[in-house]
């Protein structure tokens, strides 16, 4: 795991965050523009770590910023129990960090069908969550490349932590294709590379049909054959051909073998390279006491993988087209 210790920059980062509009949802475009300006003034070593990760990726496919400024637990509002956040909710420090870091990397993107088309998502446990939802808690949220079936799939998923779960059991798991690839035989790689496989989509993208089936086609491996991108979803990817089923099983096993666990704690910001990894979350037990686990999530698009065609702004909301 690659960790950037940001403790020494906390003061500077607090100041940058204080320069941003303090009611971000009042005018999110303006907020993200302002974050874009502030992101040019990030502390040097942090800025270079982000720029290098953005340009080259990394072996383990994620970057953990630790020791960022964050409110004391007592100063935070209660962990939300509904979504989206009220438009007048004041900026939380970790949301400020997601603004700064995200704008250093690319463009924050909302997804029309998801979370009322908002850009900033609260991730918190919810009773009776659908088993594929980030609102699950007592069950394992299985490996998924975020929206692997979406033509405008985000390049990064960023998760910033305001509250951990009480027992510190919830781990965010990340498995990197750069680590898994050497564990695959040449035959398996060849079978998975550039081969479109049927893939279901998350509930939000089903257009009200409870089970539209595999309406997308996803390639498990694609891009540069020596350093491929990964599209892997344990629940949604639905290969039918027996050779495909077998190859995906081999990939699945390799991903399990290289899995790394990140226990997010307040002041952590995890950047997940969503083109080279799949991620998951282990079970934990909520107490429903207003202090349950609380993350903030944004999606970032960059030039890589043709996710942008020119003229986009940070804060744009995009509509669903399945990969086909
Ligand atoms: O709760 C987590 O650690 C990750 C949940 C997740 O997969 C997501 O929010 O995209
Ligand atoms: Fe996710």
């Amino acid at each position: 795991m690659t960790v950037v210790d940001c403790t020494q920059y906390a003061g500077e980062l607090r100041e940058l965050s204080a320069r941003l509009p303090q009611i971000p949802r009042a005018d999110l475009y303006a907020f993200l523009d302002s974050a874009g300006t502030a992101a040019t003034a990030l502390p040097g070593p942090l800025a270079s770590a982000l720029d290098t990760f953005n340009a080259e990726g990394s072996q383990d496919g994620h970057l953990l910023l630790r020791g960022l400024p964050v409110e004391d637990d007592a100063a935070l509002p209660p962990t939300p129990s509904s979504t989206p956040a009220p438009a007048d909710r004041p900026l939380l420090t970790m949301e400020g960090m997601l603004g700064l870091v995200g704008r250093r990397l690319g463009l924050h993107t909302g997804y029309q069908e998801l979370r009322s088309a908002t850009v900033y998502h609260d991730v918190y446990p919810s009773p009776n969550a659908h088993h594929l939802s980030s609102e699950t808690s007592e069950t394992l949220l299985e490996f998924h490349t975020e929206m692997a079936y979406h033509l405008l799939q985000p390049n990064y998923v960023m998760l910033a932590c305001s509250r951990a779960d009480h027992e510190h059991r919830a781990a965010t798991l990340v498995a990197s294709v750069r680590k898994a690839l050497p564990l695959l035989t040449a035959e398996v790689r060849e079978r998975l590379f550039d081969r479109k496989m049927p893939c279901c989509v998350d509930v939000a993208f089903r257009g009200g049909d409870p089970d539209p089936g595999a309406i997308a086609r996803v390639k498990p491996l694609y891009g540069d054959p020596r350093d491929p991108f990964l599209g892997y979803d344990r629940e949604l990817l639905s290969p039918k051909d027996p050779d495909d089923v077998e190859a995906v099983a081999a990939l699945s096993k390799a991903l399990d073998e290289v899995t790394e666990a990140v226990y997010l704690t307040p002041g952590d910001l995890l950047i997940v390279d969503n083109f080279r990894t799949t991620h998951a979350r282990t079970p934990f037990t909520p107490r429903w006491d207003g202090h349950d686990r609380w993350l903030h999530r944004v999606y970032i698009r960059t030039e890589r993988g043709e996710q942008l065609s020119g003229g986009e702004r940070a804060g744009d909301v995009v509509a669903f087209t399945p990969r086909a």
Side-chain angles (χ1 to χ4, degrees), residues 134 141 144-146 157 159 279-280 297 299:
S134 63
L141 179 62
H144 56 283
T145 300
E146 206 81 12
V157 180
L159 298 167
H279 65 276
R297 177 177 66 194
Y299 299 123

Side-chain angles (χ1 to χ4, degrees), residues 86-301:
D88 61 354
R89 192 173 86 190
L91 181 67
L92 297 165
T93 309
M94 292 313 284
E95 292 178 324
M97 296 303 113
L98 286 175
L100 299 170
V101 172
R103 289 299 282 112
R104 186 84 197 187
L105 296 170
L107 301 181
H108 298 68
T109 302
Y111 288 82
Q112 203 158 81
E113 298 77 8
L114 208 58
R115 303 282 197 116
S116 315
T118 52
V119 170
Y120 272 88
H121 301 166
D122 291 309
V123 175
Y124 55 83
S126 179
N128 313 121
H130 187 276
H131 76 284
L132 297 177
S133 158
S134 63
E135 294 179 15
T136 51
S137 49
E138 308 267 11
T139 57
L140 172 70
L141 179 62
E142 290 275 14
F143 268 130
H144 56 283
T145 300
E146 206 81 12
M147 294 177 253
Y149 47 76
H150 198 305
L151 207 57
L152 299 177
Q153 178 189 333
N155 298 86
Y156 299 112
V157 180
M158 302 209 305
L159 298 167
C161 181
S162 278
R163 283 196 177 102
D165 59 307
H166 297 84
E167 296 160 358
H168 298 271
R169 283 175 61 215
T172 309
L173 306 179
V174 185
S176 162
V177 67
R178 283 188 175 157
K179 292 174 75 173
L181 200 71
L183 307 181
L184 301 177
T185 64
E187 281 115 321
V188 167
R189 287 191 215 184
E190 200 176 320
R191 188 74 205 176
L192 296 172
F193 189 79
D194 247 344
R195 192 176 304 277
K196 292 181 178 177
M197 298 192 189
C199 190
C200 301
V201 302
D202 283 297
V203 176
F205 298 103
R206 292 180 189 174
D209 181 342
D211 186 14
I215 60 170
R217 298 281 176 279
V218 165
K219 299 169 175 178
L221 300 178
Y222 60 104
D224 176 351
R226 286 159 308 160
D227 185 20
F229 296 135
L230 174 73
Y232 175 76
D233 192 308
R234 193 157 280 174
E235 298 276 350
L236 300 177
L237 193 62
S238 313
K240 291 285 170 292
D241 183 304
D243 289 339
D244 292 348
V245 171
E246 198 179 315
V248 169
L251 173 63
S252 168
K253 181 162 172 287
L255 290 166
D256 277 334
E257 284 174 31
V258 302
T259 293
E260 291 185 69
V262 180
Y263 291 86
L264 290 171
T265 175
D268 281 358
L269 191 163
L270 177 66
I271 307 167
V272 176
D273 182 342
N274 195 45
F275 270 57
R276 295 199 198 275
T277 63
T278 184
H279 65 276
R281 194 221 61 244
T282 64
F284 64 100
T285 307
R287 295 188 188 167
W288 316 117
D289 60 357
H291 293 265
D292 278 317
R293 187 169 185 263
W294 184 9
L295 310 182
H296 314 278
R297 177 177 66 194
V298 296
Y299 299 123
I300 304 292
R301 283 183 300 154

